[in-house]
Amino acid sequence: MKFLPLVWAGIWRKRGRAILTLLSIVNAFLIFGLLQGLASGIDNVAKESSAAVLMTTSKVSLIEPLPMGHAAQIRNVPGVTAVTPMVIFTGTYRTPTQYVPAIAVNVDEYLAVYPKVKASAAARQAMRETRNGALVGEGIAKSYGWKVGDTVPIKSVLWVNRDGSTTWPLKIVGILPKGASGPGVMVNYDYVDEGRSQAKGTTSFFMLKTVDPKRATQIGAAVDRLFANSPNETRTITARQMAQSQFKQIGDIALVINAIVGAIFFALLFSVGAVMAQSMRERIPELAVLKTLGFTDGGVLGLLLAETLVFCLFCAGIGLGLAEAAFPLVKQSIGFEAAAGPILFAGLGFAVALALISGLPPAVRAMRLQIVDALAGR
Amino acid sequence: MDALVSVKKVVKRYWRGKQAVEVLHNLDLEIPAGQFVALMGPSGSGKTTLLNLIGGLDKPTQGEVIVGGERIDRLSGGQLAKWRSRHVGFVFQFYNLMPTLSAEANVELPLLLTKLSGKQRKANVAAALELVGLTDRRKHKPNELSGGQQQRVAIARAIVADPTLLVCDEPTGDLDRESAEEVLSLLQMLNREQGKTVIMVTHDPKAAEFASRIVHLDKGALVAEPAGVAA
């Protein structure tokens, strides 16, 4: 600790250059934090998708509907404990930009499939009693100013109502707490199916709860066997596999992110290395004086490495801190949380590696300085 | 009086490309403890080379350098560094202070290598700065001080660890006459009142007058001293 003032003074020796270098490193770690947070958030979404939950879709394509008659047969497959149809009911509120993510489900079965989604007994009862009832997440309720008892018109982007309009009045019967709200809005399947003018008696897909995640694949295969060679063959996979495959559809995000981060750090390595080398060259007489005063070769090496290390960790701390502060904004724009914890450690690890790789060559040159030559300017 | 510094049959050669240049030739010199010695001679005579050997900054090609009874020419680089930190204080022509550190932080540098506590280091630094008359300038950076003041900070840095030997390479070479006299008086006071052995390289005969002994070098060899000059 007693050497810290010396290390700190060395860092800020050329204030302007140090600030510019600081900004470039902070910027790199901010980008690193945001991108890695994004990748890790995507990974978390896939991980959080339960392996015990199965998704049954049409074998032909994801958009091909399945008959509701499948539900009773699927429920009889050994190991299946709950089945809900799920119809995409996405729409908008007052303006086309007021997006409302919604699904039509059998609410009791849905809550059995997703026990993390918390709805009070009163809210569940209200859903059973209110045909056009809706359970809405706290976040969306807050942003549109909805409260229990309100009837809100939702314009479906997919379904035309019996009256020929796309507007579906929904009565809000419950607000689901933040973090346990599932999709944005949940409505009764029966209300949507009775009201829509096409695809009646069908569902976009089924979600199934199984007794044991380890048996989920076999149970899925058993479901698919039920409908083999029928006009409506199925494909059943775990929700986790589905999440992973959906993210893969937009490309190998991790690879792209790692490539970008790698390129940034590679460039940073050269710029920080060049700054450190220049700083060392400018300080040759000062370093010779330190050696004259009794600092050993190893001591000078350690001092310069400590400078690079403290500087890189300081900048990385600022960059990662800014990234973490920006994570809530990221969630608002992409819909899921970026994960901060592991990124922080990885970032600090990168900072240490950056410091050692860029700081070591000039530090070794400083270590090898001959006092007499350095003092004489040779 | 016992010799603090003994230089015996010292040869120093440097290599310029493939050509060896001998700077010191079989040089013998003894400096008793408590002397203030001025090393004089024309440029290239080997004064600074000799000073570097005595201060443990360089090693002879041949011969022995004994300081305080220790063969410093046999010490490894690391051992020499530790030896310098304990026994020698250095004063340079261009002060060589750390520009980013305050006067007191500069003076504290040699003490960072000791096991003294922060409180003890502060006390020693305060004493050294008081001795050179710069207590009120302790928070100033080198660029906020005059040349003479900077050199006095350098002297405080040289004495703060209480070494037996002060090695000064042209300490007044960059100073005006008035500041030079202040610095030389300070060195003389340290020699007379604190018992420090001072070895000073200088071109300036007026600076040499402050010394108790003047040693002349020419072409890498000592010029015979007039009898009775050594104190």
Side-chain angles (χ1 to χ4, degrees), chain A residues 348-364:
Chain A
L348 294 179
F350 267 114
V352 171
L354 176 70
L356 292 180
I357 297 170
S358 60
L360 199 59
V364 167

Side-chain angles (χ1 to χ4, degrees), chain A residues 43-87:
Chain A
D43 207 33
N44 278 357
V45 169
K47 275 182 192 156
E48 279 169 13
S49 305
S50 173
V53 172
L54 293 173
M55 183 182 191
T56 300
T57 63
S58 166
K59 194 177 179 183
V60 179
S61 93
L62 269 176
I63 55 166
E64 187 71 19
L66 288 172
M68 272 302 284
H70 279 19
Q73 294 181 67
I74 293 171
R75 200 170 284 117
N76 287 332
V77 172
V80 174
T81 57
V83 180
T84 178
M86 203 179 271
V87 171

Side-chain angles (χ1 to χ4, degrees), chain B residues 105-118:
Chain B
N106 265 290
V107 175
E108 192 187 8
L109 280 175
L111 299 181
L112 295 178
L113 301 168
T114 67
K115 288 180 179 167
L116 293 178
S117 67

Side-chain angles (χ1 to χ4, degrees), chain B residues 129-146:
Chain B
L129 281 171
E130 193 181 344
L131 199 65
V132 299
L134 284 176
T135 304
D136 58 332
R137 299 281 177 158
R138 65 188 186 282
K139 299 285 180 199
H140 289 240
K141 296 261 174 73
N143 63 1
E144 297 160 351
L145 299 171
S146 69

Side-chain angles (χ1 to χ4, degrees), chain B:
Chain B
M1 201 182 281
D2 288 341
L4 177 73
V5 177
S6 275
V7 176
K8 295 180 182 174
K9 304 279 177 220
V10 158
V11 173
K12 182 66 189 176
R13 279 187 213 106
Y14 288 113
W15 290 89
R16 278 199 195 129
K18 288 181 181 175
Q19 196 183 1
V21 179
E22 193 163 299
V23 184
L24 298 175
H25 321 290
N26 267 327
L27 191 139
D28 290 297
L29 175 67
E30 293 220 333
I31 299 173
Q35 264 196 349
F36 185 165
V37 179
L39 276 179
M40 297 192 73
S43 291
S45 60
K47 306 183 295 293
T48 297
T49 302
L50 179 59
L51 197 72
N52 288 341
L53 295 177
I54 294 169
L57 297 178
D58 204 357
K59 287 185 180 183
T61 312
Q62 285 171 33
E64 298 175 10
V65 180
I66 303 162
V67 181
E70 194 161 4
R71 277 285 299 268
I72 64 167
D73 58 287
R74 283 181 175 171
L75 298 179
S76 68
Q79 288 170 327
L80 258 183
K82 281 183 187 144
W83 176 84
R84 285 195 301 271
S85 72
R86 284 198 301 269
H87 300 291
V88 193
F90 292 87
V91 181
F92 303 96
Q93 180 179 357
F94 298 109
Y95 336 125
N96 285 357
L97 300 173
M98 300 290 149
T100 49
L101 299 180
S102 65
E104 64 182 356
N106 265 290
V107 175
E108 192 187 8
L109 280 175
L111 299 181
L112 295 178
L113 301 168
T114 67
K115 288 180 179 167
L116 293 178
S117 67
K119 210 172 180 179
Q120 286 171 309
R121 291 200 304 272
K122 272 197 174 6
N124 289 13
V125 168
L129 281 171
E130 193 181 344
L131 199 65
V132 299
L134 284 176
T135 304
D136 58 332
R137 299 281 177 158
R138 65 188 186 282
K139 299 285 180 199
H140 289 240
K141 296 261 174 73
N143 63 1
E144 297 160 351
L145 299 171
S146 69
Q149 287 170 331
Q150 287 187 59
Q151 195 59 298
R152 283 194 277 154
V153 172
I155 291 171
R157 181 180 67 185
I159 60 171
V160 73
D162 196 23
T164 44
L165 181 63
L166 284 184
V167 165
C168 313
D169 193 358
E170 300 267 14
T172 57
D174 198 42
L175 299 178
D176 57 60
R177 176 56 58 195
E178 194 182 336
S179 300
E181 283 189 5
E182 276 175 21
V183 165
L184 289 165
S185 301
L186 189 58
L187 291 175
Q188 200 172 48
M189 183 273 285
L190 290 169
N191 170 247
R192 288 180 180 166
E193 294 175 22
Q194 308 269 323
K196 306 288 179 201
T197 304
V198 181
I199 306 174
M200 173 178 74
V201 163
T202 183
H203 276 106
D204 180 2
K206 283 206 180 298
E209 284 172 11
F210 283 78
S212 53
R213 177 185 171 192
I214 299 173
V215 173
H216 285 274
L217 267 93
D218 192 20
K219 294 176 184 165
L222 286 183
V223 177
E225 293 176 68
V229 169

